[in-house]
């Protein structure tokens, strides 16, 4: 009788103890939200060569849907201050005048994101790494307010950066984004045809950029198919 009771007790203990080979669904998540700050830059009629000649302040809010350890789709809203002056460069403008501007711009975009390495913590059989470089490209829209004039245009953000997983849910991200704006009024109406070169959807348009450091938090546990865990 004692043997039967001991066997039943042992079975109950084993049933209540997590099995090492069973995956913890919290190791992988569906969503990621975060924000960051950094430095902004501008290229256009008032600055044709040095994108960070008059650096501004940038801040972002971002959210991701995580398809897997290598790919994600990111929605991001970035606000930034932009400024420039033709007096800081050697270009001679018609009439010999100098122009300057100061603006606030907001860019909303959706980007596809690719990690060079499988990104994560945990299962060594999947060769997950806490650190990875990544690239992203997408489509968005930029709205700029300058001297009482507001303009908007489509934008093409191109991003390169690195990620480091501080913990299973917390990520540190540093990236540089160069954004082509399909318009020439990011720096205000007065500078739109400053050089008398007519702009088009692609030619003689403005650019903005940002170097930012962000923190993000993952949530929404994903069901793991494989039950092996080291």
């Amino acid at each position: 009788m004692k043997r039967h009771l001991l066997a039943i007790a042992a079975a109950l203990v084993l049933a209540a103890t997590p099995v090492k080979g069973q995956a913890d669904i919290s190791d992988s998540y569906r969503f990621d939200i975060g924000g960051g700050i950094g430095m902004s830059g501008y290229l256009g009629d008032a600055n044709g060569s040095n994108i960070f000649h008059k650096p501004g302040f940038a801040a972002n809010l971002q959210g991701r849907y995580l398809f897997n350890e290598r790919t994600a789709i990111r929605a991001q809203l970035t606000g930034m201050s932009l400024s420039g002056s033709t007096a800081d460069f050697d270009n001679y403008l018609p009439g010999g005048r100098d122009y300057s501007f100061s603006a606030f711009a907001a860019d909303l975009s959706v980007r596809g994101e690719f990690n060079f390495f499988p990104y994560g913590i945990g299962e060594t059989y999947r060769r997950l790494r806490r650190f990875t470089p990544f690239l992203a490209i997408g489509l968005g829209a930029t709205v700029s307010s300058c001297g009482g004039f507001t303009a908007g245009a489509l934008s093409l953000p191109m991003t390169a950066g690195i990620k480091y997983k501080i913990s299973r849910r917390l990520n540190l991200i540093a990236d540089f984004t160069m954004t082509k704006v399909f318009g020439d009024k990011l720096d205000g109406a007065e500078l739109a045809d400053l050089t008398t070169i007519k702009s088009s959807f692609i030619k003689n348009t403005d650019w903005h950029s940002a170097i930012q450091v962000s923190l993000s938090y993952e949530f929404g546990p994903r069901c793991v198919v494989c039950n092996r865990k080291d």
Side-chain angles (χ1 to χ4, degrees):
M1 185 67 176
K2 289 184 178 180
R3 291 181 180 178
H4 291 298
L5 290 175
L6 288 173
I8 293 172
L12 290 173
V13 170
L14 289 173
T17 304
V19 180
K20 185 177 178 58
Q22 185 178 3
D24 181 357
I25 61 172
S26 65
D27 289 345
S28 184
Y29 301 93
R30 289 187 178 89
F31 306 102
D32 176 309
I33 57 172
I37 59 173
M39 181 174 68
S40 62
Y42 151 85
L43 279 181
D45 293 310
N47 179 1
S49 57
N50 185 350
I51 195 165
F52 290 114
H53 177 66
K54 285 184 175 293
F57 176 78
N60 76 75
L61 294 174
Q62 55 187 260
R64 290 177 182 79
Y65 180 81
L66 308 170
F67 292 106
N68 51 47
E69 293 78 15
R70 284 186 180 267
T71 58
I73 185 166
R74 183 209 305 194
Q76 179 166 315
L77 175 64
T78 304
M80 69 200 84
S81 58
L82 303 173
S83 61
S85 175
T86 61
D88 299 333
F89 300 93
D90 297 330
N91 294 341
Y92 180 82
L93 300 175
R97 294 181 59 189
D98 288 324
Y99 297 84
S100 62
F101 83 98
S102 180
F104 176 80
D107 184 87
L108 178 63
S109 65
V110 177
R111 314 174 191 183
E113 204 168 84
F114 174 76
N115 299 326
F116 281 70
F117 307 134
Y119 181 62
I121 294 177
E123 300 87 343
T124 56
Y125 74 95
R126 294 162 65 188
R127 301 182 183 276
L128 299 183
R129 301 192 185 185
R130 299 181 72 153
F131 168 86
T132 183
F134 73 93
L135 295 174
I137 190 169
L139 186 66
T142 299
V143 177
S144 172
S145 178
C146 177
F149 176 80
T150 302
L154 292 177
S155 62
L156 179 69
M158 296 164 280
T159 302
I162 54 176
K163 299 177 184 177
Y164 178 76
K165 187 166 281 294
I166 299 172
S167 65
R168 291 191 183 277
R169 291 175 180 258
L170 193 62
N171 306 281
L172 178 65
I173 305 162
D175 60 32
F176 170 70
T177 298
M178 191 76 180
T179 302
K180 180 175 179 59
V181 180
F182 295 102
D184 191 29
K185 297 181 179 180
L186 188 66
D187 41 24
E190 189 177 19
L191 277 69
D193 297 318
L194 194 60
T195 58
T196 69
I197 300 174
K198 295 297 181 182
S199 302
S200 65
F201 186 68
I202 296 178
K203 185 179 71 173
N204 194 37
T205 59
D206 296 324
W207 296 71
H208 62 77
S209 66
I211 295 177
Q212 298 182 90
V213 177
S214 307
L215 284 173
S216 71
Y217 181 81
E218 296 176 8
F219 64 99
R222 185 190 302 277
C223 180
V224 180
V225 176
C226 180
N227 288 324
R228 172 177 172 179
K229 180 180 177 182
D230 295 331

